[in-house]
Amino acid sequence: QVQLVESGGGLAQAGGSLRLSCAASGSILRAFAMGWYRQAPGKQRELVATIASGGDTSYADSVKGRFTISRDNAKNTVFLQMNSLKPEDTVVYYCYADLIPAGGVRADYWGQGTQVTVSS
């Protein structure tokens, strides 16, 4: 059974940095796009960054130049390096992976969410 386990959230000061990690565990035949969304209370989940299996990346305008997404295909792990953090980055971050599990069908899988809090 595939699970996405996130780590690295927490508290940072404005202007500081945090690094999120998300590892997909279980028997995985192939992973396609992986990435991060975030969701504030009462708001829709919004895309933060995605990375294709070949390395192409895409970012929300609000994080361009501050956040960097990367992945380790051998470990089915995706990272989000967050620099120059702002108080408005304070939300829960969710990782996702578009993948094919062994014996299964292609689908999106989600992590449990990790809280990022940026103090001013």
Side-chain angles (χ1 to χ4, degrees):
Q1 203 167 13
V2 173
Q3 286 188 316
L4 269 59
V5 179
E6 301 159 355
S7 60
L11 178 65
Q13 290 189 329
S17 299
L18 286 172
R19 180 177 170 89
L20 305 182
S21 299
C22 174
S25 64
S27 184
I28 297 169
L29 292 181
R30 184 175 177 182
F32 300 92
M34 301 182 76
W36 297 88
Y37 280 71
R38 64 187 183 183
Q39 186 171 23
K43 294 189 177 180
Q44 285 191 328
R45 193 170 293 189
E46 65 170 350
L47 178 66
V48 177
T50 62
I51 182 167
S53 57
D56 289 342
T57 59
S58 178
Y59 297 91
D61 288 342
S62 58
V63 306
K64 281 181 182 176
R66 300 190 298 121
F67 292 7
T68 302
I69 190 170
S70 60
R71 64 190 284 171
D72 182 336
N73 287 333
K75 297 181 179 180
N76 291 316
T77 300
V78 62
F79 307 95
L80 186 67
Q81 178 65 44
M82 304 185 294
N83 299 329
S84 302
L85 283 163
K86 302 176 180 180
E88 51 263 44
D89 294 320
T90 297
V91 286
V92 177
Y93 287 73
Y94 297 88
C95 73
Y96 84 94
D98 172 11
L99 57 82
I100 303 175
V105 298
R106 182 174 178 176
D108 286 341
Y109 290 80
W110 292 88
Q112 77 283 2
T114 186
Q115 175 71 46
V116 169
T117 302
V118 182
S119 62
S120 58

